[in-house]
Amino acid sequence: MDVRQAPSRARPVNDRAEVEIPLPDVTLRGDLVVPLDARGIVVLALHDVAECRQPFIVNLAEVLTTAEVPVATLRVGLVPPGGAPAPGWPELHAQIEMLSSHLEGIVDWVEATEQTRRLPIGVLATGTSVAAALETAARRKGIVRAIVAWNGRPDLARDMLDRVLAPTLFVVTDTYGGAMAVEREVMHVMRAPHVLATVPDEPLPTGERVAPAEIERLAADWFGRHLPDRPAARH
């Protein structure tokens, strides 16, 4: 798959702000960056604020805003501070419903907000947020235009998978045990265009790891190719 390198210099930024997103049951906070020449916006749908602040996530957002096809980014945790912990098996499906409800509200906020309402929307998710991203795409057909799902649990959205129309890139690191079989099983159900990419998670001589750089490049390429296109048909 062709990947696009981010340029070495930063692009001018039109808007960079911490934002509040009011939802029926909670107000979430996110970090919004909108380049002057943004061709879309990617919601980085993460579990909580701590995950939003991880260096890899912060750098990934920077790569997307400075890519060859630049996009705005909104980093947001779907679980508010002091909210539900990472779920055990009995609570997992209930938490997916909460994550999906919150992500749908975030997408609606992006569509209604002046800085972002004209931008086509993509979602990048990991972990249990992957199921929330797929369910949101199924319920917001033609609004969510592209998805990148990294090391997640798409099988938890099984009942909604055949309703997803957004092109979806599944990224699995080779150290994420059992994920490949799950992703392939899910891909048999999906009607939307989809690709499965496996990336190595190995240390370089410098001490850095390969996977973060590969995920950044794959995500920038996927959103750069799918967000500026015409909207998907709504059904």
Side-chain angles (χ1 to χ4, degrees):
M1 179 184 295
D2 173 57
V3 295
R4 300 186 174 103
Q5 298 279 358
S8 57
R9 62 183 180 84
R11 295 173 181 268
V13 172
N14 181 44
D15 196 8
R16 183 188 297 267
E18 293 184 4
V19 297
E20 292 190 348
I21 304 168
L23 303 178
D25 61 330
V26 70
T27 295
L28 299 177
R29 289 173 174 79
D31 294 290
L32 176 68
V33 178
V34 184
L36 286 171
D37 49 356
R39 302 288 301 279
I41 180 169
V42 173
V43 177
L44 285 82
L46 305 161
H47 187 266
D48 53 26
V49 171
E51 194 171 21
C52 290
R53 293 173 179 169
Q54 290 180 358
F56 166 64
I57 297 298
V58 173
N59 193 65
L60 172 58
E62 183 71 16
V63 168
L64 293 174
T65 59
T66 59
E68 182 177 329
V69 181
V71 295
T73 59
L74 173 61
R75 288 183 288 126
V76 60
L78 302 183
V79 177
W89 285 109
E91 301 83 17
L92 192 55
H93 289 282
Q95 182 153 347
I96 294 299
E97 291 182 10
M98 180 195 70
L99 298 178
S100 299
S101 174
H102 287 180
L103 184 53
E104 289 166 31
I106 292 165
V107 168
D108 293 343
W109 180 89
V110 169
E111 275 220 304
T113 298
E114 178 62 29
Q115 304 99 303
T116 56
R117 62 187 177 88
R118 295 180 180 85
L119 299 174
I121 300 170
V123 177
L124 184 146
T126 184
T128 51
S129 297
V130 166
L134 292 166
E135 290 192 359
T136 298
R139 294 190 178 104
R140 297 294 189 272
K141 295 183 180 72
I143 297 174
V144 175
R145 301 263 296 276
I147 299 170
V148 172
W150 163 43
N151 280 358
R153 293 293 309 275
D155 55 307
L156 296 175
R158 180 176 301 278
D159 293 343
M160 307 287 284
L161 290 174
D162 63 348
R163 295 169 54 187
V164 176
L165 301 181
T168 302
L169 172 64
F170 295 102
V171 182
V172 179
T173 53
D174 58 7
T175 55
Y176 195 64
M180 187 69 70
V182 171
E183 307 287 350
R184 285 178 174 154
E185 181 182 350
V186 162
M187 290 169 69
H188 285 300
V189 181
M190 290 192 67
R191 296 162 48 204
H194 53 271
V195 171
L196 175 61
T198 307
V199 297
D201 190 17
E202 300 174 354
L204 299 172
T206 60
E208 298 177 344
R209 303 195 74 83
V210 176
E214 290 300 313
I215 293 168
E216 290 164 0
R217 294 188 185 108
L218 288 167
D221 178 71
W222 191 259
F223 289 124
R225 288 193 288 120
H226 291 288
L227 283 187
D229 296 339
R230 295 180 186 177
R234 303 191 190 196
H235 297 294

